[in-house]
């Protein structure tokens, strides 16, 4: 077994930390305190784990919505009582009115997308002014990814033979969210720290967020009129990004 394989094996049993479910749930519950029957949407809801934990912690009625393109996962979300709707989130306008959501979650999804600006623009459209956007992504600058790059390896979170097509660092994600002043980042957190066991990983990710496996940000939708797509439309890019219609 190579040194890389030995180090990779040490992470076994801590993979759940990468999803930051406790962070997501705590922020989501906090974001709707005082809101009667809040509307919460999970974009790329998967099997509904995040919304199920939020509902459990919230302990009261909430309108739980999800968008999911993988039918087996969507069916499992439906079984949890979530209004999970089939959608191609990179190409289909979200089936919700403007300013209809109190909180929107996008956890471990953006790294899979080319049309990340389409998704962020739709999120900016449907979140109420003062509402909350919660995002979780793998950290391209995690300390183990830095070591891999130094050794000539592609960082594990963005390998060519893999599902991810984008990489994010803490500064890059914050800058992306705050483009055009449609969102203001209010809180940041890290989770997971390879190859440390869970207790040490939790401690290390608090001490050095930028070296964590997962990055999480909570942003507030400002009261700026229009949608996030407006600022992207004004930036020259040498690729044909799809943006929602005006």
């Amino acid at each position: 077994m190579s040194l890389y394989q030995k180090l990779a094996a040490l992470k076994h049993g801590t993979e759940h930390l990468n999803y930051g479910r406790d962070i997501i749930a705590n922020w989501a519950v906090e974001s709707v305190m005082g809101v009667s029957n809040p509307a919460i949407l999970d974009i790329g809801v998967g099997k509904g784990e995040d919304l199920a934990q939020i509902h459990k912690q919230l302990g009261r009625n909430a309108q739980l919505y999800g968008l999911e393109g993988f039918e087996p996962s969507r069916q499992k979300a439906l079984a949890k009582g979530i209004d999970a709707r089939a959608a191609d989130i990179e190409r289909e306008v979200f089936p919700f009115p403007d300013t209809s959501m109190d909180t929107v979650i996008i956890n471990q999804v953006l790294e899979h997308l080319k049309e990340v600006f389409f998704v962020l623009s739709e999120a900016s459209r449907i979140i109420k002014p003062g509402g909350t956007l919660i995002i979780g992504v793998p950290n391209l600058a995690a300390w183990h990814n830095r070591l891999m790059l130094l050794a000539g390896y592609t960082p594990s979170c963005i390998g060519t033979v893999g599902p991810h097509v984008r990489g994010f660092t803490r500064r890059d994600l914050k800058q992306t969210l705050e483009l055009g002043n449609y969102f203001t980042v209010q809180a940041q957190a890290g989770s997971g720290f390879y190859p440390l066991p869970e207790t040490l990983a939790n401690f290390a990710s608090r001490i050095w967020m930028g070296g964590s496996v997962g990055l999480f940000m909570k942003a507030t939708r400002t009261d700026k009129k229009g949608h996030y797509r407006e600022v992207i439309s004004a930036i020259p890019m040498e690729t044909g990004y799809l943006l929602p219609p005006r």
Side-chain angles (χ1 to χ4, degrees):
M1 182 181 291
S2 69
L3 177 60
Y4 172 75
Q5 290 172 322
K6 289 178 181 178
L7 290 174
L10 292 175
K11 73 179 185 180
H12 181 68
T14 67
E15 293 89 347
H16 65 284
L17 297 177
N18 303 353
Y19 295 92
R21 300 209 189 280
D22 289 340
I23 296 170
I24 297 290
N26 290 338
W27 281 349
V29 170
E30 177 184 78
S31 73
V32 296
M33 293 298 291
V35 178
S36 177
N37 195 27
I40 304 173
L41 169 67
D42 190 345
I43 299 172
V45 68
K47 300 173 185 176
E49 289 97 333
D50 282 326
L51 285 181
Q53 184 165 340
I54 290 166
H55 188 252
K56 182 179 180 180
Q57 287 187 211
L58 192 60
R60 59 186 177 87
N61 289 336
Q63 304 170 64
L64 303 177
Y65 299 97
L67 294 176
E68 179 56 49
F70 185 56
E71 188 60 21
S73 292
R74 190 179 77 88
Q75 290 299 323
K76 291 180 180 179
L78 286 170
K80 291 181 172 71
I82 298 165
D83 183 354
R85 306 183 186 185
D88 179 349
I89 62 172
E90 292 191 84
R91 294 192 169 275
E92 297 176 9
V93 172
F94 296 172
F96 304 104
D98 293 2
T99 65
S100 58
M101 295 291 159
D102 295 291
T103 297
V104 169
I105 298 159
I106 315 175
N107 189 19
Q108 310 305 312
V109 172
L110 294 183
E111 66 274 12
H112 296 268
L113 308 180
K114 177 195 175 188
E115 306 294 355
V116 61
F117 304 121
F118 185 101
V119 173
L120 290 176
S121 186
E122 279 297 274
S124 78
R125 177 182 67 80
I126 64 176
I127 298 174
K128 299 174 182 178
T132 300
L133 174 65
I134 299 173
I135 288 182
V137 293
N139 180 16
L140 181 60
W143 85 274
H144 70 282
N145 284 331
R146 301 184 196 205
L147 289 180
M148 290 180 70
L149 192 58
L150 187 64
Y153 291 94
T154 300
S156 58
C157 69
I158 198 168
T160 302
V161 183
H164 298 172
V165 299
R166 285 187 177 273
F168 297 91
T169 65
R170 183 172 64 86
R171 289 181 178 86
D172 174 62
L173 180 59
K174 183 175 186 293
Q175 181 184 45
T176 300
L177 290 178
E178 293 186 337
L179 280 174
N181 193 36
Y182 291 95
F183 294 102
T184 301
V185 173
Q186 303 290 347
Q188 304 178 47
S191 184
F193 212 98
Y194 290 161
L196 300 179
E198 184 167 348
T199 300
L200 290 177
N202 289 336
F203 176 76
S205 63
R206 288 195 298 271
I207 298 301
W208 184 23
M209 180 196 314
S212 301
V213 178
L215 290 174
F216 303 88
M217 290 191 183
K218 179 177 71 169
T220 297
R221 176 63 166 96
T222 67
D223 59 2
K224 182 174 179 177
K225 303 298 183 182
H227 306 309
Y228 182 90
R229 63 152 290 146
E230 307 300 333
V231 68
I232 296 302
S233 299
I235 299 175
M237 296 190 187
E238 294 182 358
T239 188
Y241 286 114
L242 177 68
L243 294 175
R246 295 178 184 276

